[in-house]
Amino acid sequence: MTISASKIIVGMLLASAAFSVQAQSYDPQLWSGLHYRQVGPWRGGRVTTVTGIPSQPTTFYMGSTGGGVWKTTDAGHSWTNTSDGQIPVGSMGAVAVVESNPNIIYAGTGSSKIRSNVSIGRGIWKSVDGAKTWQFIGLRDVGQISTIRINPKNPDEVFVAATGNPFKYSADRGVYRTRDGGKTWKKILFVNETLGAADLEFQADDPNILYASMWHGIRRPWTITSGSTDGGLYKSTDGGDTWTKLGGGLPTGLFGRSNIGVSAAAPNRLYALIEAKPGAGLYHSEDYGKSWKLVNGEGRLTTRPFYYTTLGVDPTNADLVFVGNEGWFKSVDGGKSFTVKQTPHGDNHDVWINPNNSKVMVQANDGGANVSLDGGETWSVQSNQPTAEMYQVAVDNQFPYRIYGAQQDNTTVIIPSQPLGDGLTFRVGPGCETGPSIPKIDDPMVVFGGCKGQFSRVDLRTNMNELQYWIGSESLYGSNPKDLRYRFQRVAPLEVSPVEPMTIYYGSQYVHRSKDGGATWERISPDLTWNPPERQMASGDPITIDATGEEVYSTVYAIRESVLKPGVIWAGSNDGLVHVTQDGGKTWQNITPKGLPPGGRVQNIEPGVRDPGTAYVAIHRYLLGDFAPYLYRTDDYGKSWTLMTDGKNGIAADEPTRVVREDPVRPGLLFAGTEFGVYVSFDRGAKWQSFQIDLPAVPVTDMKLAHGDMIISTQGRGFYVLDNLGPVRELPAPADALATPRLFTPAVAVRIPASGDMGGPASEGPDYKLPGAQIDYVIPAGGAGAPVMLTIVDAAGQTVRSFSSEGPEPRASAGYRYRPTYRTKLAATPGQHRVVWDLRRASLAGAGPRAAAPVVPPGDYTVVMTAGSVTARQPLKVVADPRVLASGVTNADLVEQYQHNMRTLQLVADTNAAVARVKAAQAALKTSPDAAKQAALQPIADKLLTPPVRYSAPGLDTHVSYLHSQTDGFDGKISDDPKQRYTVLRKEIDGIVAQLDKVIGPAKMAAAPASATAGRGER
């Protein structure tokens, strides 16, 4: 059974959505209480730099290619991000630690392993407190940083190798040096604008002598260039002041990417892993680089050199050499022969070996970072690093809804937005690492998958019997695009029709359509690309062919169909064209925005949610070296376009845009994902503001607005969910937004069964939201300090729960997986705040902290906020979990269960009161003995009280608490047994009370206030 919570939310909010706002800024405090939840997958993504601390053999750092800098202090058993909120880019190229003072760390941004989806670097950062805080120290525009080397004798002298901007040539490429800890920098090796520095090493016995690898590497949308005749190895003997190009046996023709290896065990020996034509392979020198020999020319050592060229030499044994690329290779004879060794994941990028104990090492690959304490025989896991690079995101209409996407160099995944109760945090879907993966709109058990131009369909009920329905049946690998029948790009677009569940669109240079779920296909468009012939080539020049489909140019890259007007289909190509058809593909119009420079990638298209003639496009031109943001809007089927980004209206002039989405509830509200985060516009793109909140700096690859939430995919941190956009959708005009305290309309609250899986700590897995009702309010700056009160009232006008900002925070109960901790003290500080009501009513006086107050039944409630002199009211709807209803339970059953639980809670309170009276009477008899009263009291105590000795026969007090707990941990129909048992116990407790009245006199009743926090104790 499915639930469309978004429809309920939309209906509740439409009345408050029609705002006319001008291009004004909102105070970000208006959404400061929102939170991006990372929901997985909880497995590592691409890491291209690692390092360690010789004196701390269990401490290591890794720099991921989109997720920032991470640290482990327990040899990889757990990793903690150190850069979130401080370093404003996620792509890391190099991390280095000062050996003499490990609190000093340098982080160079921009991975130098330049895939087509690599994210740009923005300089170098320094920490002086063990990575707790970071400070920018320059080199913002040098592009990708491949290596950082710190003089072991002078920690203020640091050298940086910059490969440069991966998409254009510049004079910023080369080697840099600082001698004052990063306050000032000097470029000390520059050959020309095409050559960057791919590696840098000190001579093992003299840090005044350096070796540098200079490389011509650049990415274009249609090819990767690696190598030139002027590349090579350089040496300096004066601390980098002057450099000499090395020869003496090194390749003299085309020289590509290279990596240098040194070992303190033999300072005279150098290794160099070199891409070349002719002469690729592993070289070594025994005379400090004067002369060289090719030790091993096996092709497997130089596979995809622009991406790998990984070389490591044991610091205590110069004959022990590691080489990494798609495989991981080990040599014990100085590189003459290699054996294959295993790492947790393929595609190997970096290694650091502890000079004090070479058995200790950390290694990086496309699956994350892993530590070995036995020389690489065994490794730590990668399932503790939430650094996945996701290509796109889709969601379904289940409850809880699932999230679908593809992880770079891994599988497609299906992630629950909330725990499902089976302990699984994700499952593998159809397709492969490039995706997409999209569920059937009316049956999420059927999922469609893409894989580098291939298509498949799976019914998850059939145990992953993945049906392969390929189009063209041609392999992309090694192919020249001009020879392909269909030019499918590696990340070929897949669109499931929003109006016909079995209709699917797939993009090559044409739009293909299937109306039977992919079994048969028809071509419904002409070639919709620019297709310049000079850009149709097998990628990889001038040395190594690298035709994997990434660089197939002139393909359709985005396809979307209008949900408002079936047959309106928008298509964009990765060479810059936008087309539309209004008749289901019979005719197409080229509607490319005028003035748009040619050749860029139409990354994402968003059909309008209110008018079929409206569409938004996000165009990504950074592979052409153009980092400007390009977001366009049309309202007339592409006859005219408005550029919504001019570099001055909120999104920086050098911040590429990847995706834009139109809000389905509030007119004019747009969200955009860029290379570095998320933005919001309230006026159709006239002005943009950061909507980063607590999202790490990471490329945002895709975005969906569904179920009242924002769901995003990132290139380096997996999937995130921003729950309940209601507070943003309901904001008044900026001038009025902070005038008075405001209570927002709560989203529909779904009752999650108390016994359901609520998830664990976010540090150990997906960050799941607390079940219950999310209540949002905002306090203006002028209202700070005034008490805030929230009261929940049922349909009969009775108060069921209240929260206050007054007094201390109530003591939190233990946070079990099935009974998490809820904060109950309200914030009264300026800004937007969110409190989660666990849907339990306030407990009864005297029930005690261990007797849970019941969850309120489905129905209509009202939230009343009092803040100073302001009182506001908003409706709150509570609904049953659809999975519970699907099992046959009715709302009437839940009402009856609530009433029963309230009766048993009252019974607990009455029992506790009787217990207190008995114990008080017993205490009084100790000071004032009365044999007759003692004789009369004893049988009452024997029947009521459970002895304090463990496993004693239970008294009525235990029987009553046991009965109450019986029906509190699930949602369902109450059976006859607890009802009958209640009748029996009610009678017995009433009898006990009557006896007590006779023996010690009637109780003096003193009304105690109901606890606002009761009902959250242990089960």
Side-chain angles (χ1 to χ4, degrees):
M1 182 174 181
T2 63
I3 183 173
S4 182
S6 59
K7 292 183 179 178
I8 300 174
I9 294 167
V10 168
M12 294 178 65
L13 296 181
L14 277 176
S16 61
F19 297 110
S20 174
V21 296
Q22 300 175 348
Q24 303 179 56
S25 293
Y26 283 86
D27 186 339
Q29 286 293 310
L30 289 168
W31 50 78
S32 60
L34 301 182
H35 166 57
Y36 286 95
R37 295 189 291 116
Q38 188 175 41
V39 294
W42 216 257
R43 63 183 183 187
R46 183 163 47 125
V47 171
T48 55
T49 179
V50 287
T51 194
I53 301 174
S55 60
Q56 300 176 21
T58 60
T59 298
F60 304 91
Y61 292 90
M62 69 170 173
S64 73
T65 58
V69 180
W70 296 72
K71 180 179 183 178
T72 178
T73 58
D74 54 14
H77 289 288
S78 62
W79 292 85
T80 302
N81 185 277
T82 72
S83 56
D84 284 354
Q86 300 188 72
I87 301 180
V89 294
S91 179
M92 294 296 147
V95 182
V97 182
V98 174
E99 291 188 14
S100 60
N101 184 355
N103 283 326
I104 302 176
I105 304 120
Y106 293 87
T109 61
S111 172
S112 70
K113 306 300 178 73
I114 54 173
R115 294 186 66 91
S116 64
N117 66 343
V118 71
S119 189
I120 192 70
R122 288 285 167 86
I124 191 166
W125 297 72
K126 180 180 180 180
S127 174
V128 296
D129 54 12
K132 295 177 183 176
T133 60
W134 294 90
Q135 179 183 4
F136 176 71
I137 58 171
L139 302 184
R140 181 187 187 276
D141 298 318
V142 301
Q144 314 308 90
I145 292 175
S146 65
T147 312
I148 299 173
R149 296 290 178 241
I150 304 165
N151 188 333
K153 298 180 180 179
N154 178 8
D156 286 332
E157 184 173 75
V158 183
F159 298 84
V160 169
T163 59
N165 188 317
F167 309 114
K168 66 179 181 181
Y169 300 123
S170 101
D172 295 312
R173 296 181 175 218
V175 177
Y176 293 80
R177 181 185 65 202
T178 178
R179 284 178 167 161
D180 52 18
K183 295 177 182 178
T184 60
W185 294 90
K186 180 180 181 181
K187 184 161 58 176
I188 57 174
L189 176 57
F190 174 74
V191 180
N192 58 54
E193 292 187 356
T194 69
L195 291 180
D199 192 26
L200 186 66
E201 298 290 348
F202 291 120
Q203 187 167 291
D205 59 351
D206 187 352
N208 206 46
I209 300 175
L210 300 98
Y211 302 91
S213 163
M214 301 302 288
W215 172 52
H216 178 188
I218 191 167
R219 271 257 176 215
R220 297 179 177 88
W222 54 90
T223 193
I224 166 70
T225 296
S226 178
S228 60
T229 56
D230 53 359
L233 302 184
Y234 285 74
K235 180 178 181 178
S236 173
T237 59
D238 52 12
D241 288 337
T242 60
W243 296 83
T244 302
K245 188 175 183 179
L246 298 178
L250 291 173
T252 57
L254 290 168
F255 198 107
R257 183 161 192 156
S258 60
N259 197 319
I260 305 161
V262 298
S263 172
N268 59 300
R269 184 185 299 181
L270 303 177
Y271 290 95
L273 185 63
I274 301 173
E275 174 194 20
K277 190 175 182 179
L282 180 67
Y283 287 75
H284 83 189
S285 169
E286 295 287 354
D287 53 10
Y288 298 99
K290 294 179 182 178
S291 61
W292 296 82
K293 285 186 178 181
L294 177 63
V295 178
N296 195 318
E298 293 183 76
R300 64 177 182 167
L301 301 183
T302 52
T303 302
R304 304 191 78 196
F306 83 92
Y307 193 43
Y308 306 120
T309 319
T310 304
L311 177 62
V313 185
D314 190 304
T316 62
N317 178 1
D319 287 329
L320 181 53
V321 182
F322 294 95
V323 166
N325 43 63
E326 288 179 354
W328 183 244
F329 307 99
K330 178 180 180 180
S331 173
V332 295
D333 56 9
K336 296 175 184 176
S337 63
F338 283 89
T339 57
V340 178
K341 306 295 290 186
Q342 294 300 312
T343 54
H345 197 98
D347 294 334
N348 300 281
H349 297 293
D350 196 17
V351 65
W352 178 88
I353 304 171
N354 192 317
N356 297 338
N357 179 0
S358 61
K359 293 290 185 181
V360 174
M361 61 179 66
V362 60
Q363 194 258 4
N365 50 63
D366 270 12
N370 32 262
V371 173
S372 177
L373 303 179
D374 57 10
E377 295 302 313
T378 60
W379 301 92
S380 62
V381 301
Q382 298 177 329
S383 56
N384 52 11
Q385 304 160 39
T387 53
E389 294 183 303
M390 310 306 298
Y391 285 108
Q392 64 286 117
V393 64
V395 298
D396 62 23
N397 285 324
Q398 298 184 80
F399 181 86
Y401 62 85
R402 277 67 157 177
I403 303 168
Y404 302 73
Q407 180 180 351
Q408 188 267 332
D409 205 46
N410 221 304
T411 64
T412 59
V413 294
I414 303 172
I415 304 283
S417 59
Q418 284 293 99
L420 303 179
D422 54 11
L424 296 177
T425 58
F426 73 89
R427 68 175 297 176
V428 175
C432 69
E433 61 165 314
T434 60
S437 179
I438 305 175
K440 190 168 178 277
I441 59 175
D442 63 346
D443 182 4
M445 296 304 288
V446 175
V447 186
F448 306 107
C451 181
K452 308 173 186 178
Q454 303 166 2
F455 174 85
S456 63
R457 184 179 84 206
V458 69
D459 189 324
L460 299 177
R461 289 166 291 229
T462 63
N463 196 28
M464 293 301 292
N465 178 29
E466 190 170 349
L467 304 175
Q468 304 290 342
Y469 296 136
W470 300 355
I471 307 171
S473 301
E474 293 177 290
S475 172
L476 300 181
Y477 282 79
S479 293
N480 189 324
K482 69 181 179 62
D483 298 327
L484 290 170
R485 185 168 154 227
Y486 296 126
R487 294 191 301 272
F488 282 105
Q489 217 267 0
R490 191 168 179 267
V491 189
L494 180 66
E495 163 81 341
V496 177
S497 169
V499 292
E500 296 179 3
M502 290 296 280
T503 295
I504 302 155
Y505 303 95
Y506 208 19
S508 59
Q509 71 266 46
Y510 311 106
V511 174
H512 304 263
R513 180 176 64 195
S514 172
K515 291 194 171 185
D516 56 10
T520 59
W521 294 88
E522 60 179 329
R523 206 168 77 193
I524 64 167
S525 80
D527 188 328
L528 299 181
T529 69
W530 174 31
N531 194 22
E534 71 276 9
R535 297 182 183 179
Q536 300 305 316
M537 63 181 69
S539 173
D541 68 271
I543 300 174
T544 308
I545 295 175
D546 194 72
T548 64
E550 280 193 62
E551 301 80 15
V552 174
Y553 196 56
S554 300
T555 74
V556 173
Y557 204 82
I559 307 170
R560 293 294 304 278
E561 182 178 15
S562 171
V563 69
L564 302 174
K565 187 177 178 182
V568 174
I569 305 167
W570 309 82
S573 70
N574 70 346
D575 60 2
L577 301 188
V578 184
H579 285 81
V580 69
T581 176
Q582 299 184 51
D583 52 17
K586 295 177 183 176
T587 59
W588 292 80
Q589 294 79 45
N590 184 337
I591 56 168
T592 305
K594 291 181 174 59
L596 174 68
R601 177 196 291 169
V602 181
Q603 183 83 19
N604 269 289
I605 300 175
E606 171 79 342
V609 299
R610 294 174 178 82
D611 188 326
T614 295
Y616 305 82
V617 295
I619 296 173
H620 210 216
R621 293 180 45 82
Y622 83 155
L623 272 78
L624 296 167
D626 180 357
F627 282 74
Y630 292 93
L631 297 179
Y632 285 89
R633 182 190 73 243
T634 180
D635 293 312
D636 53 13
Y637 294 99
K639 294 178 184 177
S640 62
W641 291 89
T642 298
L643 177 64
M644 301 186 295
T645 47
D646 61 6
K648 301 177 182 178
N649 65 340
I651 299 178
D654 60 352
E655 186 162 356
T657 45
R658 289 176 174 262
V659 60
V660 59
R661 299 292 181 221
E662 181 181 17
D663 188 73
V665 176
R666 176 172 177 155
L669 181 59
L670 304 177
F671 298 95
T674 75
E675 200 65 20
F676 308 117
V678 178
Y679 286 79
V680 63
S681 172
F682 292 88
D683 47 24
R684 304 196 79 202
K687 184 173 183 60
W688 295 90
Q689 292 181 246
S690 173
F691 199 61
Q692 198 73 2
I693 313 175
D694 58 356
L695 181 72
V698 61
V700 174
T701 56
D702 198 5
M703 178 185 296
K704 290 292 183 292
L705 304 177
H707 304 283
D709 302 339
M710 174 191 292
I711 306 98
I712 63 174
S713 57
T714 71
Q715 186 179 290
R717 298 297 285 272
F719 293 121
Y720 280 84
V721 174
L722 185 69
D723 298 304
N724 184 13
L725 291 167
V728 180
R729 289 166 167 165
E730 290 191 41
L731 286 176
D736 304 322
L738 278 177
T740 59
R742 185 179 182 91
L743 175 66
F744 297 103
T745 306
V748 173
V750 182
R751 286 172 44 121
I752 304 293
S755 58
D757 181 5
M758 304 304 177
S763 61
E764 299 174 7
D767 182 5
Y768 293 129
K769 70 178 180 181
L770 288 173
Q774 295 180 339
I775 302 172
D776 296 280
Y777 61 96
V778 66
I779 302 298
V788 180
M789 173 76 75
L790 288 175
T791 303
I792 294 92
V793 180
D794 64 17
Q798 298 297 311
T799 296
V800 295
R801 192 71 180 272
S802 61
F803 304 89
S804 174
S805 63
E806 298 284 81
E809 175 74 31
R811 185 177 65 87
S813 60
Y816 299 98
R817 286 182 65 86
Y818 53 81
R819 189 65 58 78
T821 298
Y822 288 77
R823 297 190 66 84
T824 56
K825 183 177 179 180
L826 302 181
T829 54
Q832 181 255 333
H833 305 284
R834 171 169 290 174
V835 63
V836 180
W837 171 36
D838 61 4
L839 300 183
R840 292 184 179 273
R841 63 157 295 138
S843 191
L844 300 179
R850 295 179 66 85
V855 176
V856 299
D860 295 320
Y861 297 82
T862 300
V863 181
V864 182
M865 180 184 77
T866 302
S869 61
V870 174
T871 298
R873 304 169 70 90
Q874 291 287 4
L876 167 63
K877 180 178 285 295
V878 177
V879 300
D881 189 320
R883 297 168 295 181
V884 171
L885 298 178
S887 70
V889 175
T890 67
N891 283 331
D893 294 332
L894 298 176
V895 171
E896 182 185 19
Q897 182 187 28
Y898 170 77
Q899 293 169 344
H900 172 82
N901 288 342
M902 282 301 297
R903 287 192 295 269
T904 61
L905 184 64
Q906 183 64 62
L907 183 59
V908 170
D910 294 345
T911 303
N912 289 346
V915 168
R917 293 176 66 193
V918 169
K919 290 183 176 180
Q922 289 175 330
L925 287 171
K926 289 182 179 180
T927 57
S928 301
D930 184 327
K933 185 179 288 189
Q934 177 68 43
L937 186 63
Q938 191 59 47
I940 298 175
D942 290 343
K943 186 175 183 180
L944 178 63
L945 304 179
T946 300
V949 178
R950 193 175 188 185
Y951 300 126
S952 296
L956 280 176
D957 57 350
T958 295
H959 286 299
V960 167
S961 62
Y962 188 81
L963 172 66
H964 176 67
S965 69
Q966 180 182 357
T967 55
D968 178 66
F970 68 96
D971 284 8
K973 187 176 180 63
I974 299 295
S975 64
D976 290 339
D977 185 77
K979 297 177 187 176
Q980 295 165 0
R981 183 62 171 157
Y982 167 80
T983 301
V984 171
L985 290 175
R986 178 78 265 179
K987 184 177 180 180
E988 294 200 51
I989 292 299
D990 288 345
I992 287 287
V993 171
Q995 293 178 55
L996 276 173
D997 290 347
K998 292 180 180 178
V999 174
I1000 63 175
K1004 296 180 180 179
M1005 302 300 293
S1011 169
T1013 60
R1016 296 180 292 108
E1018 300 177 27
R1019 292 181 59 195

